[in-house]
Amino acid sequence: MIARALLALGALAIVAAAPVGPSAAEFSALRTAKGETCPPMRKLSCAALGDPSELKCSYQERFTRAKWTPTTALVAKNGTGWDWLDGGPRCSSLPQH
């Protein structure tokens, strides 16, 4: 009985530890989906907004010889993938040097 309770708690911990939002690879693919040339990215983390399928993702990007710049984006789960909610990346409109 105790072993069964411990297994149930372990299963809950695994579910609770599941990452929220797109993986780094999925997020990078979203950034370049419009043919944009995007700078390197790091420290991606996403949190659910009021609707659990809508997320605010924070990350840092770095243009050549510049400091890492904090950036945010709004994304939503579309069934099998992800969509931008805030118009998508604007990487090529930003200075690349």
Side-chain angles (χ1 to χ4, degrees), residues 2-79:
I2 293 174
R4 201 178 308 186
L6 288 174
L7 284 173
L9 285 175
L12 287 174
I14 291 170
V15 170
V20 175
S23 68
E26 291 170 321
F27 194 80
S28 290
L30 280 174
R31 292 174 74 216
T32 57
K34 293 184 176 183
E36 305 272 355
T37 302
C38 296
M41 174 191 80
R42 70 177 188 180
K43 296 187 178 182
L44 173 66
S45 67
C46 299
L49 298 172
D51 178 341
S53 68
E54 296 178 356
L55 304 144
K56 180 178 182 179
C57 296
S58 300
Y59 58 101
Q60 294 179 346
E61 57 189 357
R62 187 170 96 179
F63 298 96
T64 307
R65 289 182 246 133
K67 294 181 180 178
W68 287 97
T69 304
T71 308
T72 60
L74 301 176
V75 298
K77 186 74 173 164
N78 70 8

